[in-house]
Amino acid sequence: MPKPPHNWGRWGDDDQQGALNLLTPATVLAALGAARDGRVVSLAMPIRGATSGPAPTTVPHLAGRPLPQHFMSVDGGDYAAGVRSDGARIADDALLLSPHGTTTHMDALCHMWAGEELYNGHPAARVRSYGATRLGIEHAAARGVVARGVLLDAAAHRGAARLEPADRIGAAELAEICARVGSEPGPGDVAVVRTGWPRAWAEDPALYRSGQPGLAADAGRWLAERDVVMVAMDNAAVQGLGADGRSAEDVDDDLHLTLLWRHGIHLAELLWLEELAEAAAAARRCDFLFIAVPLPIEGGTGSPINPLAVL
Amino acid sequence: MPKPPHNWGRWGDDDQQGALNLLTPATVLAALGAARDGRVVSLAMPIRGATSGPAPTTVPHLAGRPLPQHFMSVDGGDYAAGVRSDGARIADDALLLSPHGTTTHMDALCHMWAGEELYNGHPAARVRSYGATRLGIEHAAARGVVARGVLLDAAAHRGAARLEPADRIGAAELAEICARVGSEPGPGDVAVVRTGWPRAWAEDPALYRSGQPGLAADAGRWLAERDVVMVAMDNAAVQGLGADGRSAEDVDDDLHLTLLWRHGIHLAELLWLEELAEAAAAARRCDFLFIAVPLPIEGGTGSPINPLAVL
Amino acid sequence: MPKPPHNWGRWGDDDQQGALNLLTPATVLAALGAARDGRVVSLAMPIRGATSGPAPTTVPHLAGRPLPQHFMSVDGGDYAAGVRSDGARIADDALLLSPHGTTTHMDALCHMWAGEELYNGHPAARVRSYGATRLGIEHAAARGVVARGVLLDAAAHRGAARLEPADRIGAAELAEICARVGSEPGPGDVAVVRTGWPRAWAEDPALYRSGQPGLAADAGRWLAERDVVMVAMDNAAVQGLGADGRSAEDVDDDLHLTLLWRHGIHLAELLWLEELAEAAAAARRCDFLFIAVPLPIEGGTGSPINPLAVL
Amino acid sequence: MPKPPHNWGRWGDDDQQGALNLLTPATVLAALGAARDGRVVSLAMPIRGATSGPAPTTVPHLAGRPLPQHFMSVDGGDYAAGVRSDGARIADDALLLSPHGTTTHMDALCHMWAGEELYNGHPAARVRSYGATRLGIEHAAARGVVARGVLLDAAAHRGAARLEPADRIGAAELAEICARVGSEPGPGDVAVVRTGWPRAWAEDPALYRSGQPGLAADAGRWLAERDVVMVAMDNAAVQGLGADGRSAEDVDDDLHLTLLWRHGIHLAELLWLEELAEAAAAARRCDFLFIAVPLPIEGGTGSPINPLAVL
């Protein structure tokens, strides 16, 4: 094989894959078996360009984050306005995206840390203006996440359409949910935790920004003990947020640090789980084939994803 | 369910899905069975920010296209330079991308047409500066492409590492390749056609830009007759390109018009198929589970993708 | 002279300069004489990148507009983090800007119109996705605006620090202000009208967004009759805005249409006039040398500017 | 005055203005007197969006730099395609720009340095991913550059339309040019040095990229001794460049370090001086009013400018 444009040697490095190392061919094959009726559900929120017009933005996102900008560089309007073409006509576009806090995405292992070292002892000083030369999202892109997903529906467990901003989901509650559905996430699985929080945006964007429900610190440790490869949630930060938009957890209890930094467990945030929750409830199942394929953005701190559940 | 941030009603419209309508739950389940050993291979080229430094760009792309720009808005260098943090540290970034011609991507059905109507009679005048309100890539994102993939390795068939710029792959040649491997793409499948052309970039970017091999007009019709849902290739435009960077085909024979516009067959371009080709040859197989999940960019003319082959 | 990169022939076209045609060499020389003590005051608000952090944005702007994004592609943090360099070190950056509504800027003559024709009968259909091929801001950039400026301080006239959102400045009030200061804008001058409205942002961004004071329809006609080349203001839209962020004027009375479209008078918006107002009051003068130099963005609908007053 | 959106206190700091401190009101008034006939000439190259189409880029720039991208977010084509509007119609756009190497621009004092300190001892570690908190271009924007310009036409001096790539302009040659025209740049002046190199692009972009003529090291020292506030040139880097796109000068002789870093003299690059050269020759004058007004990009390493010469 010729020298490829990517550095496969580096991308495949076990020491930069984190928990994704658990996704062996055998695990992947087993995960495919978790799909039973073949129905595919997208777990992504739309990427809506916030470029023109004073209309309030209609997709949940964190305050103060730069929203996606989508530009058409040529479109049907140009032909309507007189661009001449006897043959094929074309539409072309560009997208500017800062994934964290704005759209459904997956965090790279370089996204958060404490002190001078990233996950697995990689030096934080290698995360520079031209990108992270360690633990960038391209490593996760080398194989993607093809795994068994287990839905832990905390809102349904509490009998609510959605959690309240101050709600925190603890380890005991996760265990109760698993006991009730008779299935628990294990090594190589993706834990998909539903808070129902995106519903708050439709009620009132100000409500959405008044705080966010999320996992409690012990829930992070409980999940890490189970060797999941990813925690995917419909809130913005896995952990809960206060009215100031920040997490109240200290370094020991911060969910990003517990999962991403200490255990190399990837995080996916801002998912849309409403349709999956309905389908899973109707099918009386909580597991399925989960697919998330980050883009190989070299040195990227994350990637937008369109996660799929195949029921 | 509350009003979701996306317009599911529109996204699920059968008249905007094109050939993806063939991906029924039964087809999806059957496709999962095409994975036999669980090995996952990424078919994407890296997304490499072309922002700093005079170094020649190292990822194949078409001349004159705006390259990806990747910016870090906070990184490890900032902490090295003295940003104070007792707790969690963070790296954050932004990506600007014009997918066509620059990176592995999938075309939306609104990407090309002739005359006043898009595929399926949708008015081309609905493709405007704020995005396509018909046939945008978000429709394909509603379910993604989870299908059986069939590798048609035209380079290997000719006993070459890669095709030459003037080579065109005809319908008869595709039939020969299928006969040799004993498998033919059918309804609901993805035809993955390898030219080996990305190797030319490593030889010399100027060679890469001197033209491109691709499908002949009758090969497009042959594939359309087989009701594939997608044609995925490692060249830039499915069809071949001349030294001027353009296709020589007229409207009747243009591959984009035949596949995308007349038949609603999605196209994926600029894939990296070298590793897949080696693995498929070693396993003496040409089919596999193919996964491509475009981002739900509302009104988008395409989406970057990281296609996966699960062997 | 060799063929220059710009199309000077077009840029210099009298029929694309609008009122700037009044800026003859003699007018420019006379304007230079309006500077008497040589003190330079910038009339721009800062361009502040809204990229990182949840901090509320601190520069006045219209709701729903995409804010400037400023990215460093290499910086001092990278060297602190270990980038090696024995010689010169460098910092480099990129800026994304949508000038209207977000920062001090100047409108091109193609920015607004009614019906099928732009100012001076140019076809609106020539304003396309790849830029305006008529009346783009590059035409104004060919000579810039070097003119006499006359400050009409409506806030001071009413004895207020700033106007109220519902205040509209009429023609009679402009005449009164001129009578009081003993100077009136005439042919070739720039009318600089102060409302003090940017002060509202510092009071409360919500107040700023509750509406905006501006010119009344007859004030636009009064200014047009005086043959000014530009109207420069510290509000967002020259005309006033309601709580919905829109102007209540109909086509006949819309200030943009009266000034920009009917008379080819350029508009500058979102200026910062507080320091100028103090200096002018202290010097008991209302005229000065006004300089605004738009960037030659080909086909641009406007340009950020940093207007200078030389007192 | 209320708290303004900018931090005037910092912007006006004498220790961040460099040589611009020489631009006192008296100097500015004197500079205005250098305009004698009032003719205005723009010294900028156009900013041409490199977004669509495979056409070779037509504006001189350095290889490997990200070109300007200009997007229309609404335009006349949209109305032609059916956007309804009974009233005012609008065109709106966005611009992405990395000024260095791509367009006529001015360097901030934070743009280059050696070791750990910027100009005037400011710590280089304050130049971070969110911008330079010392010596950003906003400091130069506080007053702009309104100064006497002196044209030193090295190409004309050698009787050539343009210099050759290997040509270096030494201190002796600058002295000769001044002697011939009977005028020498002095304290507070802008030295405008013409190489004619942009003509090379029209001959052949490859020629343009084969190297660049520029100042020799002793010419930088000669200019610094004369206390100019800015050196403005039509090449890309003030100093000459080799075929590798780099300067051959060491730290002691590097022109950016001599002028920008050691003496706080701002640099402007990629100007278009052909028209000015003709006009100055015709008028048998080499001095004029020079105006350059950078945008107040907070923390910016430079700004696009449209410099004006008023003859």
Side-chain angles (χ1 to χ4, degrees), chain C residues 205-232:
Chain C
L207 168 65
Y208 186 88
R209 290 171 168 174
S210 68
Q212 293 214 2
L215 296 186
D218 65 349
R221 287 186 276 267
W222 187 88
L223 287 164
E225 283 164 15
R226 266 139 200 85
D227 277 339
V228 298
V229 295
M230 176 183 261
V231 177

Side-chain angles (χ1 to χ4, degrees), chain A residues 172-266:
Chain A
E173 186 170 358
L174 290 183
E176 282 170 31
I177 295 171
C178 291
R180 189 152 93 172
V181 298
S183 183
E184 185 169 290
D189 288 347
V190 173
V192 180
V193 186
R194 177 174 173 266
T195 67
W197 190 239
R199 289 174 177 246
W201 188 274
E203 296 173 50
D204 182 359
L207 168 65
Y208 185 89
R209 291 173 167 172
S210 68
Q212 293 214 0
L215 295 186
D218 65 349
R221 287 187 277 268
W222 188 88
L223 287 164
E225 283 164 15
R226 267 138 200 86
D227 278 339
V228 297
V229 295
M230 176 183 262
V231 177
M233 291 188 63
D234 58 356
N235 65 1
V238 176
Q239 56 224 59
L241 299 176
D244 61 354
R246 296 173 181 279
S247 164
E249 314 294 357
D250 61 20
V251 169
D252 286 343
D253 285 347
D254 183 280
L255 272 289
H256 274 75
L257 294 181
T258 296
L259 293 167
L260 198 72
W261 182 54
R262 294 193 184 90
H263 291 94
I265 296 170
H266 284 80

Side-chain angles (χ1 to χ4, degrees), chain A residues 68-303:
Chain A
Q69 297 195 41
H70 179 227
F71 301 105
M72 301 287 275
S73 47
V74 60
D75 58 60
D78 297 313
Y79 297 100
V83 167
R84 270 170 279 178
S85 168
D86 293 334
R89 297 179 169 193
I90 193 166
D92 183 16
D93 60 2
L95 178 72
L96 176 69
L97 198 67
S98 296
H100 303 290
T102 68
T103 196
T104 309
H105 71 281
M106 176 173 167
D107 290 346
L109 293 181
C110 68
H111 175 49
M112 287 188 79
W113 70 96
E116 310 303 324
E117 291 185 359
L118 308 174
Y119 166 74
N120 216 9
H122 291 287
R126 300 302 291 270
V127 182
R128 295 178 184 161
S129 295
Y130 44 89
T133 58
R134 299 291 171 86
L135 301 179
I137 196 64
E138 73 271 27
H139 296 279
R143 289 178 289 179
V145 180
V146 178
R148 190 177 78 118
V150 179
L151 176 65
L152 304 173
D153 190 335
H157 181 67
R158 297 189 185 197
R162 60 161 176 77
L163 299 188
E164 296 295 330
D167 287 342
R168 297 295 177 269
I169 308 163
E173 186 170 358
L174 290 183
E176 282 170 31
I177 295 171
C178 291
R180 189 152 93 172
V181 298
S183 183
E184 185 169 290
D189 288 347
V190 173
V192 180
V193 186
R194 177 174 173 266
T195 67
W197 190 239
R199 289 174 177 246
W201 188 274
E203 296 173 50
D204 182 359
L207 168 65
Y208 185 89
R209 291 173 167 172
S210 68
Q212 293 214 0
L215 295 186
D218 65 349
R221 287 187 277 268
W222 188 88
L223 287 164
E225 283 164 15
R226 267 138 200 86
D227 278 339
V228 297
V229 295
M230 176 183 262
V231 177
M233 291 188 63
D234 58 356
N235 65 1
V238 176
Q239 56 224 59
L241 299 176
D244 61 354
R246 296 173 181 279
S247 164
E249 314 294 357
D250 61 20
V251 169
D252 286 343
D253 285 347
D254 183 280
L255 272 289
H256 274 75
L257 294 181
T258 296
L259 293 167
L260 198 72
W261 182 54
R262 294 193 184 90
H263 291 94
I265 296 170
H266 284 80
L267 303 178
E269 296 157 329
L270 293 172
L271 275 71
W272 177 260
L273 299 175
E274 301 309 292
E275 197 177 16
L276 173 65
E278 287 200 0
R284 298 176 175 274
R285 292 168 46 195
C286 70
D287 68 336
F288 44 86
L289 168 61
F290 179 94
I291 297 169
V293 198
L295 298 172
I297 305 164
E298 282 197 356
T301 70
S303 172

Side-chain angles (χ1 to χ4, degrees), chain C residues 45-47 59-61 68 97-105 269-270 304:
Chain C
M45 294 199 297
I47 297 176
V59 181
H61 63 271
L97 198 66
S98 296
H100 304 290
T102 69
T103 197
T104 309
H105 71 282
E269 297 158 327
L270 293 171

